[in-house]
Amino acid sequence: MTSHGIKDRVAIIGMGCTQFGEHWETSTSDMAIDACEAAFASAGVAKDDVDAFWLGTLTSGFSGMTLSSALKTDYKPVTRVENFCASGSEAFRNACYAVASGAYDMVMAVGVEKLKDSGYSGLHRADPPNAGTGGSLTAPARFSVIAPSYSRKYGVDREDFKSAMTRVAWKNHANGARNERAQFRSEVPEETIRSSPRVAGDLGVFDCSGVSDGAAAAIIVRAEDAHKYTDSPLYVKALAFAAGPGTGPIDPEFDYTSFEEVVRSASDAYAQAGVTDPVEDLSMCEVHDCFTPTELVLMEDLGFSARGEAWSDTLEDRYARDGVLPVNPDGGLKSFGHPIGASGLRMLFECWLQLRGEAPEERQVSLRGRKYGLTQNLGGGPGECVSFVAIVGAEEG
C-alpha cells in the first residue's frame, strides 16, 4: 500500500545552505538566519511573505521559538519537528503537505543543528527513559555489524567488502573536495582510508561521518504559483516516510543486510512519482552515508543494485560522479559531517543545484535527459529506524 502523494502540486522556489563545519563562534540562531536569508534571496521574497515555518532539529532547540526568536517571525506559526536524523526531511515533508492542503500559500522548511559546542560525538548514548530492554551499542558499533553480516550472507570476502567500503569514502571525499560548503575538502587516498584507526569492527575513522554544525532551508509554494518567483523551480514528485517497528535487534531473523524501512519508503516514493526503473529515471541521488557500509546497503534497498552486488558495483565506480548513477555528488555525510536536523535539507539543496544546472562546473553531473533527483535520509540504526525518500524534478509531468 502506498500513499496518494502530491505529485506536482507543490514546488520549491528558493533554497539556502550554510557551509558545514566547526562553527565555534556561530550560534544556532546565526546559522538558521544565514540559511533562511540565502533562501529568501534565492526566491526573491521577504521573510514577511512566508505564511508558516517548519523547523527540524534534534537537540539544538525546543519548540518553534527556536526559529521564531531568531528570525523574529511576527507571531506566525512555527512548528518544530524531530524524527531522529531525518528531522530536516520531516520539516520539509510537513511544509509541503501544508501548501498542498491549501492551508498556506508560501511556507518554509528549515533544518539546523549545532553539535560541536554540545560535545556530541555519536560515541555516547543519551536515550530517553525506557524499559531497559533496548540495545546499548553506539552508532558505529551498530552499523559495523553490516560488514560481517553482508560478507557472510553473500559469500563476499571480508577484504573485498572492506575495499568497497573504502571506495565509498574515497568517492565521497573526492566529491566533497570540490564543494565549498563541505566540512572536509580534501581528497583522501584509498590506502589512508583503509588503514585508518579502527572505531568499531571493520569501521575505521574514515568509514564514519563527522560531527559538524550547519543549517539549510527551502521555500515552498503551490506549483501553479512557482513561476511567479523563479524560472526554474523544482517540483515535488514524491514524499515518502516509513517508521519501523524497532524489532530488528531482538528479531533472530534480522540479518543486518537490509533496512526494510528504506525499501518501503523507496517503493512508496517510486509509486508516487511514476518511477519504474530508478537507475534509468534518476539523474542523481543523495543518500544517508552515515557509515560507508550503510551506503552500500542503501544501493540495494533503493533498487540501484541487485542483492549482493552493491559492493562490486561500487568498485566498478557505478555510483561515481561520472558513473551510471551519481550518488552523493556533493560529498555526502562523509564530507559534510552530520548536523542532524540539517542533513536532509542539505541533500535537497544539492538536487536544487544539480537539476537546475547551477552546480559549479567541476561538480555538475550529466543529467543525460533523466527526469529526477532523489534524497534518502535515515534516522536510527539497523533494524530500528525511520527512512525518508523524496523525489524532485525540474519539469512538471
Side-chain angles (χ1 to χ4, degrees), residues 7-19:
K7 182 180 179 181
D8 289 333
R9 289 169 57 185
V10 303
I12 306 165
I13 60 166
M15 289 203 72
C17 183
T18 68
Q19 193 268 340

Side-chain angles (χ1 to χ4, degrees), residues 300-312:
E300 298 179 9
D301 285 346
L302 291 167
F304 304 161
S305 288
R307 292 292 175 187
E309 296 183 8
W311 69 276
S312 56

Side-chain angles (χ1 to χ4, degrees), residues 360-378:
E361 184 178 353
E362 65 272 18
R363 292 203 308 105
Q364 181 69 51
V365 302
S366 174
L367 302 180
R368 289 170 288 190
R370 299 174 184 176
K371 296 180 178 180
Y372 302 144
L374 175 146
T375 69
Q376 185 278 324
N377 197 195
L378 185 73

Side-chain angles (χ1 to χ4, degrees), residues 55-77:
L55 169 69
T57 189
L58 182 69
T59 63
S60 295
F62 299 98
S63 89
M65 287 188 65
T66 302
L67 186 64
S68 66
S69 62
L71 279 186
K72 302 298 184 287
T73 54
D74 193 26
Y75 301 95
K76 291 183 178 179

Side-chain angles (χ1 to χ4, degrees), residues 147-164 296 300 307-312 315:
S149 300
Y150 189 103
S151 295
R152 182 167 53 250
K153 180 172 182 175
Y154 295 113
V156 179
D157 184 84
R158 287 280 288 271
E159 291 303 309
D160 289 339
F161 193 77
K162 178 62 177 176
S163 294
L296 293 170
E300 298 179 9
R307 292 292 175 187
E309 296 183 8
W311 69 276
S312 56
L315 288 174

Side-chain angles (χ1 to χ4, degrees), residues 154-362:
Y154 295 113
V156 179
D157 184 84
R158 287 280 288 271
E159 291 303 309
D160 289 339
F161 193 77
K162 178 62 177 176
S163 294
M165 291 165 52
T166 298
R167 186 64 61 85
V168 168
W170 175 83
K171 167 182 71 73
N172 292 350
H173 278 294
N175 291 342
R178 295 164 172 80
N179 195 330
E180 65 180 4
R181 290 181 174 84
Q183 178 181 24
F184 305 113
R185 297 197 57 201
S186 298
E187 295 192 33
V188 184
E190 288 189 84
E191 184 51 40
T192 300
I193 296 168
R194 190 181 184 95
S195 61
S196 64
R198 291 292 180 267
V199 175
D202 288 344
L203 297 183
V205 169
F206 283 102
D207 291 299
C208 309
S209 60
V211 180
S212 63
D213 308 324
I219 300 174
I220 301 110
V221 301
R222 287 186 295 270
E224 58 265 32
D225 295 334
H227 281 280
K228 296 177 183 178
Y229 306 98
T230 177
D231 292 333
S232 50
L234 282 193
Y235 298 94
V236 175
K237 307 294 181 177
L239 300 166
F241 207 103
T247 56
I250 59 174
D251 181 358
E253 299 299 318
F254 181 65
D255 65 6
Y256 286 85
T257 66
S258 175
F259 299 87
E260 183 62 23
E261 295 86 350
V262 177
V263 175
R264 298 292 186 99
S265 56
S267 176
D268 187 1
Y270 294 155
Q272 291 179 37
V275 168
T276 56
D277 183 340
V279 176
E280 289 298 320
D281 292 342
L282 298 174
S283 300
M284 48 81 62
C285 304
E286 287 286 317
V287 306
H288 197 94
D289 59 317
C290 51
F291 302 94
T292 55
T294 311
E295 180 170 319
L296 293 170
V297 168
L298 292 175
M299 297 302 94
E300 298 179 9
D301 285 346
L302 291 167
F304 304 161
S305 288
R307 292 292 175 187
E309 296 183 8
W311 69 276
S312 56
D313 286 345
T314 296
L315 288 174
E316 293 171 1
D317 293 329
R318 179 180 174 90
Y319 305 117
R321 194 172 61 255
D322 58 354
V324 173
L325 179 58
V327 172
N328 289 336
D330 71 347
L333 275 68
K334 281 299 296 110
S335 291
F336 273 80
H338 183 26
I340 297 166
S343 288
L345 281 160
R346 184 270 302 163
M347 296 176 184
L348 191 67
F349 183 74
E350 181 66 5
C351 291
W352 171 259
L353 294 179
Q354 293 283 357
L355 296 181
R356 288 158 42 100
E358 294 183 353
E361 184 178 353
E362 65 272 18

